[in-house]
């Protein structure tokens, strides 16, 4: 809603997908470790890119990971593919 009402300025640029995933995982590192989860990351081709806003894309992936942490039983495995 904020984007469609011009309340957020998107800064689109080519971004490596692997970097977005790494940044998001770093942001949820504490809750992951506190829950004893293991994160399995399928290595993404370093040349794979997306054109978008870094802040918003990392925020979106972080939200998905936070949900995975919340709904995965303690000591579980979270796969990022």
């Amino acid at each position: 809603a904020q984007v469609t009402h011009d309340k957020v300025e998107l800064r689109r640029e080519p971004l490596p997908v692997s970097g977005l995933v790494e940044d998001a995982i770093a942001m949820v590192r504490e809750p992951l470790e506190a829950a004893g989860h293991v994160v399995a990351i399928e290595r993404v081709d370093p040349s794979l890119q997306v054109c978008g806003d870094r802040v918003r894309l990392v925020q979106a992936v972080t939200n998905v990971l936070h949900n995975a942490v919340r709904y995965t039983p303690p000591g579980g495995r979270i796969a990022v593919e």
Side-chain angles (χ1 to χ4, degrees), residues 20-68:
L20 298 171
V21 171
E22 289 171 9
D23 290 351
I25 289 172
M27 294 187 74
V28 296
R29 180 76 55 208
E30 277 188 42
L32 279 168
E33 291 176 355
H37 295 321
V38 173
V39 178
I41 305 168
E42 179 71 29
R43 292 293 166 200
V44 179
D45 181 344
S47 66
L48 182 62
Q49 293 190 347
V50 63
C51 186
D53 183 282
R54 173 177 283 289
V55 172
R56 298 297 170 200
L57 289 170
V58 170
Q59 182 181 37
V61 177
T62 299
N63 289 342
V64 171
L65 289 172
H66 270 294
N67 286 337

